[in-house]
Amino acid sequence: IKQLYLNKKRNEALEELQKITEEGLNSSEKGMRRNLIGVILFSKGSFEQAIFNFEFALQETMEDKLLQARILLNLSSSYYKLGLFDKAFNTQENISTNYLIGAEKSKYHILRYKLAKELGKDREEIVSLIEILGKHNSLTTLKQNKYYQVLINNFFKLSKSEKMRLLEQFENRELLCVGYLGYLEVEKLYYKGQKEDAKDIISWLSNEYSNNKEVSALVSAFTFRLENYAKMNPSNIGLVIPLSGDRSKYGQRVLRGVDTGNKSFPELNFNLIIRDSEASGVLGANRVKELIENHSVSAIIGGLYPTEATKEYLEAKKHGVLFISLSQVYLPSEEKDHLLIEVPGSIESQVRQIFSQKFLNRFGPNAAIIYPNSKRGLAYVNEFWKQADLADVKVTGALEYDEEKTDFRGPVKNLLGLEFTRERKEEYDLLKEVYSLEKKRSIRRIQTLKPQIDFDWVFVPALPRAAQSIIPSFSYYDAFNLNIVGGPSWRSKSIVDGSRKYGKMYFIGDDLKPEQKQFSEKFFSLYNMRARIIEMRAYDAYQMVVALIGSTGFSSRDELDIFIKSKESLAGITGNWILENGIWYKEMEPLMLQRGRVLSADLDVQTENTSSETANNETDSTTSN
């Protein structure tokens, strides 16, 4: 009967249960029967009838503590569904959680969190969140959990003494989420000037989490930073770019952009210390280290290429130095902090825009992604899944392509359901017979089956070369007028020109400000050449140094760190950046490519979704078998 239920044959399972008479069953078996009847009724939305059966089951299971705990959890869930929050919470109080394991214990804590939230029981709410997140053993998976940010927000609403009592409540359990809360409190206290209180918690964390590698690493890095690199020279600015080899011409363009910024603020006597990265991430990281240790630079501009940017940033981060990257850094968002600013707009900034409510209202809640099988592609798809989960967006397809190849039709064909002829065999045979009877064919026929489009829009974070093969593949397989969305690189001349034949497309790009014209004129007067995107981003990087360091006269990294954390936004000619949850996001602009022109995409205009709506028949159930 349980197997029938698991196979979603609920009515058959219920009929079989009702055929069983209780004569000859022992108490636990009677309780099991009533509990399963209640579970099936719960899944069908008959909560009152489910409660009747759960209460009846409880009377039979006074001695079976394991079954009793499960039934009480189901009963509490039923009361919650009816809005009887007090009754549901009180029922939970009688559950012996030692008898719940795995998914059942997780359901218990999730339900308890929801009830505590409804009843305004703040402390219980936070305790439940800690229990929910306590299963994570790495910061990466912890920060990807949708309850993570909720816990952080609730924790910092507590007073200092309440926070410490909460942390001490979980002593001896070494939960990563509790240790990380303690570390965040250390940072907050330290940068508010309450250094002795911060050191007390650091000492507590060192003792309590000595066996936890992640917490120990955070504590060690913070202590190292405090002891070794507090001093800095606010006038010294590091610049790490390729100045030799094949990529030196791009490094020279950065120099011109930075020099234009330097000449725009003559009153600031910055000392630019320039180092050649030789287009190598390893060498670039060594140059960063040398600039910090030997010249006490207050900030570093670098990372012209992603392969350099990640290694250079990690070195700067180790020493607590502001790093302004001229390209994207391919790291998970949880490994970034407020001392990293990605001038082109981070992957998080782009994906955040396409999962904004305004974007989803315009394009729809069903999405797909086609991404390269590289570090870059992995960073995109990981953030895509994370934001989709937070925005409650259904991802109907996630396909990768090989960047080394030139034919990218495979993932497009797969996404359109044309690779699965076995599942669609009946439809395939019928259409094949129909097409064979056609005497005159006025159109070319690439495939027999029609494409299955179950997404409203597809994100294709491909560079121009790959994009020029992927985009026309959709119409090649008879999938027309789709909402295809790309990244900033789609502003390239080849893609813009190609939009004349590809039709309407969208991409997330820079929101160029009116000040860009003034910069372009100044740049031309200095170098007698036209400024392009590299020069603009280099100029923006210099502007950030001016905004964050300028003539403030900071003598220590602590003071600069506190100041950066107090900033809410930064402005540049290629867009604005905002600081949220300890990360800088660039405010990207949704743009449209149409007939060889780049236009602003008006998200207030509604369009029809291309996919057919599907009903979600799954019941949100917290019941336990």
Side-chain angles (χ1 to χ4, degrees):
I1 292 171
K2 281 185 178 181
Q3 196 58 49
L4 285 172
Y5 172 72
L6 292 173
N7 291 334
K8 297 187 178 180
K9 297 179 179 179
R10 296 166 184 163
N11 292 331
E12 291 178 37
L14 191 58
E15 288 174 9
E16 290 296 321
L17 280 168
Q18 289 167 342
K19 289 178 185 178
I20 299 173
T21 60
E22 294 192 347
E23 185 179 350
L25 299 181
N26 63 32
S27 294
S28 289
E29 290 168 341
K30 289 177 184 177
M32 287 172 65
R33 174 179 174 272
R34 285 285 185 174
N35 179 55
L36 190 49
I37 290 174
V39 168
I40 294 171
L41 291 170
F42 181 101
S43 70
K44 293 162 70 70
S46 302
F47 304 122
E48 292 90 347
Q49 293 180 53
I51 288 170
F52 172 79
N53 280 278
F54 292 142
E55 289 178 339
F56 201 101
L58 277 177
Q59 297 173 20
E60 301 289 345
T61 56
M62 301 307 291
E63 302 302 321
D64 190 338
K65 299 299 182 183
L66 181 75
L67 183 55
Q68 186 184 64
R70 292 174 172 175
I71 295 169
L72 283 168
L73 176 58
N74 294 339
L75 184 58
S76 180
S77 297
S78 302
Y79 286 139
Y80 171 75
K81 287 292 187 180
L82 291 174
L84 303 173
F85 303 130
D86 279 309
K87 209 164 184 178
F89 192 85
N90 292 335
T91 301
Q92 272 211 332
E93 296 286 272
N94 297 318
I95 298 176
S96 299
T97 54
N98 292 335
Y99 292 101
L100 298 177
I101 58 173
E104 292 167 351
K105 184 164 278 192
S106 179
K107 289 172 184 175
Y108 167 86
H109 290 301
I110 291 171
L111 179 59
R112 193 165 184 81
Y113 157 68
K114 291 178 178 178
L115 289 170
K117 186 177 180 181
E118 291 288 350
L119 297 171
K121 297 180 182 290
D122 297 337
R123 186 176 176 80
E124 284 293 337
E125 188 178 342
I126 296 176
V127 169
S128 297
L129 286 167
I130 289 173
E131 294 288 1
I132 292 168
L133 296 167
K135 63 183 179 181
H136 293 291
N137 295 317
S138 77
L139 283 175
T140 301
T141 58
L142 172 65
K143 292 185 177 182
Q144 288 175 350
N145 192 299
K146 65 181 178 182
Y147 292 108
Y148 163 76
Q149 198 57 53
V150 182
L151 173 61
I152 299 298
N153 295 340
N154 286 0
F155 178 74
F156 282 108
K157 290 177 184 176
L158 300 176
S159 66
K160 187 165 66 176
S161 59
E162 286 174 329
K163 289 174 191 171
M164 280 311 300
R165 285 199 297 273
L166 183 71
L167 295 176
E168 290 169 355
Q169 180 178 333
F170 290 90
E171 278 184 341
N172 304 320
R173 290 183 60 183
E174 291 196 36
L175 298 179
L176 174 64
C177 62
V178 176
Y180 191 59
L181 287 175
Y183 173 75
L184 293 176
E185 178 65 0
V186 166
E187 281 196 323
K188 188 170 185 179
L189 289 171
Y190 188 86
Y191 293 123
K192 283 173 66 177
Q194 301 174 24
K195 298 186 179 181
E196 291 305 315
D197 289 338
K199 288 177 181 177
D200 287 342
I201 301 178
I202 280 285
S203 177
W204 179 80
L205 287 171
S206 297
N207 293 329
E208 288 294 322
Y209 288 87
S210 57
N211 296 323
N212 188 300
K213 291 182 180 179
E214 297 230 25
V215 176
S216 294
L218 289 170
V219 170
S220 297
F222 192 80
T223 305
F224 178 81
R225 187 191 307 177
L226 297 181
E227 294 174 352
N228 296 282
Y229 292 96
K231 296 292 183 183
M232 73 170 193
N233 185 336
S235 298
N236 287 353
I237 309 299
L239 183 59
V240 181
I241 49 176
L243 293 172
S244 58
D246 294 341
R247 293 180 173 178
S248 60
K249 60 182 179 182
Y250 300 106
Q252 293 295 333
R253 289 173 59 184
V254 171
L255 275 179
R256 287 192 284 269
V258 170
D259 185 55
T260 306
N262 195 30
K263 288 182 168 63
S264 300
F265 300 94
E267 69 280 6
L268 300 175
N269 296 315
F270 282 140
N271 178 29
L272 280 171
I273 305 173
I274 303 167
R275 294 290 180 268
D276 183 6
S277 69
E278 301 180 40
S280 163
V282 174
L283 291 177
N286 285 332
R287 305 292 186 262
V288 167
K289 184 179 181 182
E290 185 262 329
L291 286 169
I292 296 168
E293 293 181 348
N294 297 343
H295 300 279
S296 301
V297 294
S298 56
I300 292 174
I301 298 172
L304 183 56
Y305 289 90
T307 50
E308 300 176 54
T310 301
K311 289 184 172 64
E312 290 174 10
Y313 164 62
L314 288 174
E315 187 63 38
K317 181 184 179 183
K318 189 190 301 181
H319 300 93
V321 175
L322 173 64
F323 186 76
I324 302 174
S325 180
L326 296 169
S327 67
Q328 295 169 337
V329 173
Y330 299 152
L331 287 173
S333 57
E334 51 271 14
E335 294 184 37
K336 300 178 181 181
D337 61 17
H338 61 288
L339 294 175
L340 169 66
I341 305 173
E342 295 164 82
V343 182
S346 61
I347 285 174
E348 291 84 3
S349 302
Q350 296 173 38
V351 178
R352 172 186 166 111
Q353 173 60 249
I354 63 175
F355 283 102
S356 66
Q357 197 55 55
K358 204 168 185 181
F359 187 96
L360 295 177
N361 289 344
R362 169 74 160 77
F363 291 106
N366 300 307
I369 180 172
I370 295 179
Y371 62 96
N373 60 348
S374 61
K375 283 186 177 180
R376 176 174 170 275
L378 189 63
Y380 268 110
V381 75
N382 285 342
E383 188 65 21
F384 190 87
W385 277 109
K386 183 163 55 175
Q387 291 296 331
D389 185 48
L390 292 172
D392 198 24
V393 167
K394 183 180 179 183
V395 179
T396 61
L399 285 303
E400 68 176 19
Y401 63 87
D402 188 346
E403 284 188 305
E404 300 300 317
K405 295 182 178 180
T406 55
D407 186 348
F408 305 113
R409 286 177 294 179
V412 174
K413 188 176 182 181
N414 203 331
L415 182 66
L416 297 174
L418 299 173
E419 289 283 5
F420 305 104
T421 52
R422 186 179 302 169
E423 288 86 340
R424 301 178 66 188
K425 188 175 188 310
E426 185 178 340
E427 179 187 357
Y428 177 83
D429 291 342
L430 179 63
L431 288 171
K432 189 175 181 181
E433 183 179 352
V434 170
Y435 296 150
S436 67
L437 298 175
E438 293 178 349
K439 292 183 179 179
K440 293 182 179 179
R441 299 183 183 184
S442 58
I443 58 170
R444 65 100 177 96
R445 188 172 304 288
I446 300 301
Q447 79 285 328
T448 302
L449 290 171
K450 293 181 180 179
Q452 288 183 333
I453 303 170
D454 56 359
F455 52 88
D456 300 313
W457 51 277
V458 57
F459 183 44
V460 185
L463 296 175
R465 183 186 71 84
Q468 286 178 282
S469 293
I470 294 172
I471 295 166
S473 296
F474 285 97
S475 55
Y476 179 82
Y477 290 117
D478 296 340
F480 303 105
N481 301 318
L482 299 181
N483 293 319
I484 303 173
V485 184
S489 66
W490 283 22
R491 195 188 279 271
S492 73
K493 186 176 186 300
S494 59
I495 297 288
V496 174
D497 290 345
S499 66
R500 297 176 187 278
K501 55 185 177 182
Y502 300 149
K504 189 188 297 183
M505 298 180 298
Y506 301 89
F507 72 98
I508 306 301
D510 289 327
D511 180 15
L512 298 178
K513 303 297 181 185
E515 293 82 358
Q516 179 259 338
K517 184 179 179 183
Q518 297 171 10
F519 162 76
S520 297
E521 290 173 351
K522 185 175 183 64
F523 185 90
F524 189 83
S525 68
L526 288 171
Y527 297 105
N528 197 32
M529 62 177 66
R530 185 169 62 88
R532 288 175 286 177
I533 195 68
I534 290 179
E535 291 85 349
M536 291 180 195
R537 288 173 177 169
Y539 179 80
D540 268 353
Y542 190 89
Q543 276 194 309
M544 290 174 186
V545 172
V546 172
L548 294 174
I549 300 172
S551 55
T552 48
F554 296 130
S555 59
S556 72
R557 301 204 188 280
D558 288 350
E559 292 174 347
L560 177 59
D561 203 298
I562 292 167
F563 180 71
I564 293 174
K565 282 187 171 181
S566 72
K567 295 287 286 185
E568 295 181 354
S569 63
L570 292 169
I573 59 174
T574 64
N576 295 329
W577 291 258
I578 56 173
L579 183 63
E580 282 187 13
N581 300 320
I583 295 179
W584 286 100
Y585 294 95
K586 189 173 186 180
E587 294 182 322
M588 310 293 283
E589 178 79 0
L591 300 166
M592 181 171 67
L593 289 168
Q594 188 173 26
R595 297 174 184 172
R597 292 188 301 161
V598 177
L599 307 170
S600 178
D602 187 358
L603 298 186
D604 292 322
V605 178
Q606 298 296 314
T607 60
E608 287 187 23
N609 294 338
T610 56
S611 70
S612 58
E613 295 183 4
T614 57
N616 181 6
N617 295 320
E618 294 184 7
T619 305
D620 176 22
S621 170
T622 55
T623 55
S624 165
N625 288 340

